[in-house]
Amino acid sequence: MLIVERDIAVDMGTASTMLFEQGKGVVTREPTVVAVDKFTGKILKVGQDAQKMLGRTPANIVDIHPICSGVISDYEIAAQMLRELVSRVTSFSFFKPRILCCVPSSITGVEERAVIDAAIEAGARKVYLLETAVATALGAGVDISKPDGHMIIDIGGGTTDVAVVSAGGVVECESVKVAGVSFDEAIVKYIRNKYNMLVGLSAAEELKRNIGCIIQRPDIGVEEIKGRNLANGLPKTVEISANELIEAFVEPMNYILEAIHTVLEKTPPQLIGDLDKNGIIMSGGGSLIYGIDRLIERSTGIRTVVVDDAVSCAAYGAGKMLKYLDDMQDGMMNFYRKRQLKA
């Protein structure tokens, strides 16, 4: 009997988790959040269903985000969440799948082991790791096999990864814990300081999506946002303009620009010419903020473009890698690299 491999690529991010099944594409796209009964420890809802419960549940039900800054922060919950999502894909299969997981370029050995163990607990037969920057380059249509430098900037929910990819690997990288959530928190902080009003992160995120910008927009949008007046505790509504958000985003944006310039400074001179020719590729939900690509282009002098499907780019790139699993080394990347260096 012919056994057909069931291969799955997983992009488990701070904000969302995507599963790519070979031959089918992205089959699961869920928020990385789990609703848990804190008294019994039982998982009640996962993903979209759990997100709908945020802020609307009794005190005994808490929401847990098991991925923080691109790595696992709550191993047990992450493993159970991944098991639930993988089971939706493999429910009619008798064979355990091979799973390819996207991980940040700056991941440590301990963090790698946590990802591998969580995937095995979720039902994987073998686990392979792929750096997110490499997956993004593949998803953007870059031929990574050539010794040709490409800069990748992935602004996710909790982490911004800046990396230079060449000859199938990462040459230089920098990871900062400033990303999409940091922009939401910057909005909350700005409104609290200027209007003495407290708003939730979900309301701040919606404002960011609607009128968020890094440089001045041609259409100056204005949005109403509701919150709590910190002076008397009563409901309050204020109007926020897009130009105000530029001011709010200055601090997190400076951290990202600093990381980009750090990577450029460390990049070998031979590859700098490639970057000038090939440009900078941006992905992740944070790259969709209006004007962020133009500000980076202005700061670096290098042409910068945002990929078509910025949110799913890494998942599609990891999906392309599934056909090469037989040629990849399963297990920990750091351990394998050390063994190669010794040899």
Side-chain angles (χ1 to χ4, degrees), residues 88-281:
R88 296 178 188 178
V89 179
T90 61
S91 54
F92 300 105
S93 175
F94 292 106
F95 307 106
K96 288 186 174 184
R98 295 186 296 179
I99 294 182
L100 173 71
C101 295
C102 293
V103 294
S105 303
S106 56
I107 193 170
T108 66
V110 174
E111 291 163 347
E112 277 186 29
R113 174 51 62 191
V115 172
I116 292 168
D117 289 348
I120 289 173
E121 197 169 318
R125 180 165 56 85
K126 282 186 177 181
V127 183
Y128 303 80
L129 301 182
L130 178 68
E131 290 149 317
T132 302
V134 176
T136 300
L138 281 166
V142 173
D143 183 356
I144 63 168
S145 62
K146 295 179 180 178
D148 191 21
H150 293 266
M151 175 171 268
I152 308 295
I153 302 173
D154 182 74
I155 306 178
T159 308
T160 294
D161 282 321
V162 184
V164 174
V165 176
S166 178
V170 173
V171 180
E172 288 293 343
C173 67
E174 189 77 17
S175 183
V176 289
K177 295 178 181 178
V178 177
V181 175
S182 303
F183 288 106
D184 301 339
E185 291 170 347
I187 293 174
V188 173
K189 181 181 177 182
Y190 178 85
I191 293 174
R192 185 177 65 238
N193 293 340
K194 185 169 182 179
Y195 296 101
N196 200 32
M197 185 177 94
L198 184 65
V199 299
L201 280 174
S202 56
E205 183 183 9
E206 189 176 348
L207 189 69
K208 177 186 70 178
R209 288 179 177 174
N210 293 340
I211 62 169
C213 58
I214 299 296
I215 61 176
Q216 196 162 10
R217 303 176 69 128
D219 55 324
I220 300 175
V222 176
E223 285 269 329
E224 280 191 351
I225 188 167
K226 297 177 181 178
R228 187 175 73 237
N229 191 326
L230 291 173
N232 54 29
L234 297 176
K236 182 179 179 180
T237 303
V238 298
E239 285 190 342
I240 304 292
S241 71
N243 286 342
E244 287 182 280
L245 295 187
I246 296 175
E247 186 182 340
F249 291 161
V250 167
E251 188 177 349
M253 198 60 225
N254 283 341
Y255 282 111
I256 292 173
L257 290 174
E258 187 179 338
I260 294 168
H261 284 283
T262 299
V263 171
L264 285 172
E265 287 168 9
K266 294 191 297 183
T267 300
Q270 299 92 320
L271 292 177
I272 288 292
D274 294 341
L275 302 187
D276 191 44
K277 178 185 68 177
N278 296 325
I280 295 173
I281 297 170

Side-chain angles (χ1 to χ4, degrees), residues 6-11 17-29 85-86 89 97-100 102 312-323:
R6 195 76 177 266
D7 299 331
I8 299 170
V10 178
D11 181 17
T17 296
M18 281 169 276
L19 271 65
F20 184 107
E21 186 179 359
Q22 192 168 17
K24 293 185 179 179
V26 175
V27 291
T28 301
R29 194 190 307 258
L85 296 179
V86 169
V89 179
R98 295 186 296 179
I99 294 182
L100 173 71
C102 293
S312 307
C313 185
Y316 281 108
K320 288 182 179 180
M321 238 6 231
L322 290 177
K323 64 179 75 170

Side-chain angles (χ1 to χ4, degrees), residues 20-100:
F20 184 107
E21 186 179 359
Q22 192 168 17
K24 293 185 179 179
V26 175
V27 291
T28 301
R29 194 190 307 258
E30 294 280 358
T32 310
V33 60
V34 179
V36 179
D37 187 325
K38 67 179 181 181
F39 295 144
T40 63
K42 182 183 177 182
I43 288 183
L44 304 175
K45 297 289 182 182
V46 170
Q48 194 70 46
D49 293 335
Q51 192 173 53
K52 290 176 183 176
M53 298 171 69
L54 297 184
R56 298 179 173 88
T57 57
N60 65 304
I61 299 176
V62 294
D63 61 284
I64 295 177
H65 297 264
I67 308 296
C68 183
S69 301
V71 295
I72 293 176
S73 58
D74 190 320
Y75 171 77
E76 291 296 333
I77 298 298
Q80 291 184 63
M81 181 194 75
L82 191 56
R83 187 191 305 128
E84 165 67 23
L85 296 179
V86 169
S87 68
R88 296 178 188 178
V89 179
T90 61
S91 54
F92 300 105
S93 175
F94 292 106
F95 307 106
K96 288 186 174 184
R98 295 186 296 179
I99 294 182
L100 173 71

